[in-house]
Amino acid sequence: GQNIDQPTEMTATEGAIVQINCTYQTSGFNGLFWYQQHAGEAPTFLSYNVLDGLEEKGRFSSFLSRSKGYSYLLLKELQMKDSASYLCAVEGSNDYKLSFGAGTTVTVRA
Amino acid sequence: IAGITQAPTSQILAAGRRMTLRCTQDMRHNAMYWYRQDLGLGLRLIHYSNTAGTTGKGEVPDGYSVSRANTDDFPLTLASAVPSQTSVYFCASSDDAGKAFFGPGTRLTVL
């Protein structure tokens, strides 16, 4: 099975940087996804890490360490529209199913 | 149709009634999934299908059934709804790289 942990809530100021950590313990690992979900909406894809290291995509970056079972999502130059829930998801190697963490709610304040 | 759609958008249902949530995608993805999302618990996998004609159980399958007669459609049926099945249900499909695309969700209330 999969055990995925991430903080429940984080608050930051507009223009600042926030790092959302995700740790996982899995029976098989193929890759790690990050999704963004605004209140009342469906999750949307942000990033995918398969290999160790940092993947940068504009203001968002995601890091993976397979040996440590650890990932983080870095949000830079925070904007009010970044207030949302951020979901860490692990893809299993045996069945390719996605298992999700409970999500981290980020609140951006002016 | 563009992407993945779900119907109905929301539904209030009496306990004991049968209900089918519909999901259709036009991206020709082989893999499809049903998740439920509850406050504090995140997305939990109910059932999945890796390709048309096959289905599998996820983390919380009890009380739910699915079928996959073709690539596009993946309906979820609650045979006899109970209040604990009150939730938001998301259907998703994934491409060959594993990237999942989610439908808009169905908000179900069982009284």
Side-chain angles (χ1 to χ4, degrees), chain A residues 12-76:
Chain A
T13 305
E14 198 173 13
I17 298 173
V18 70
Q19 178 175 313
I20 306 169
N21 296 324
C22 173
T23 58
Y24 61 89
Q25 294 173 313
T26 65
S27 56
F29 179 86
N30 205 48
L32 189 141
F33 291 83
W34 283 96
Y35 285 82
Q36 181 190 58
Q37 185 178 25
H38 285 100
E41 298 182 7
T44 56
F45 170 83
L46 283 180
S47 68
Y48 178 48
N49 293 71
V50 176
L51 302 176
D52 286 358
L54 190 67
E55 293 281 343
E56 296 186 85
K57 195 182 290 186
R59 294 188 298 112
F60 293 1
S61 303
S62 57
F63 172 84
L64 175 67
S65 169
R66 296 175 68 121
S67 62
K68 295 182 179 179
Y70 169 70
S71 172
Y72 67 73
L73 179 70
L74 195 69
L75 287 62
K76 295 178 277 190

Side-chain angles (χ1 to χ4, degrees), chain B residues 48-111:
Chain B
Y48 67 96
S49 169
N50 286 331
T51 190
T54 69
T55 62
K57 293 182 179 180
E59 182 183 356
V60 288
D62 294 344
Y64 306 94
S65 64
V66 292
S67 61
R68 188 86 184 278
N70 56 61
T71 297
D72 298 345
D73 301 301
F74 192 42
L76 176 74
T77 297
L78 288 67
S80 179
V82 295
S84 62
Q85 292 178 310
T86 293
S87 188
V88 179
Y89 292 86
F90 286 103
C91 178
S93 67
S94 63
D95 61 18
D96 291 341
K99 178 180 172 182
F101 298 80
F102 286 83
T106 294
R107 186 173 297 274
L108 182 67
T109 302
V110 182
L111 302 176

Side-chain angles (χ1 to χ4, degrees), chain B residues 12-23:
Chain B
I12 299 174
L13 190 66
R17 297 297 296 270
R18 180 184 180 89
M19 176 74 191
T20 295
L21 308 185
R22 300 184 298 279
C23 175

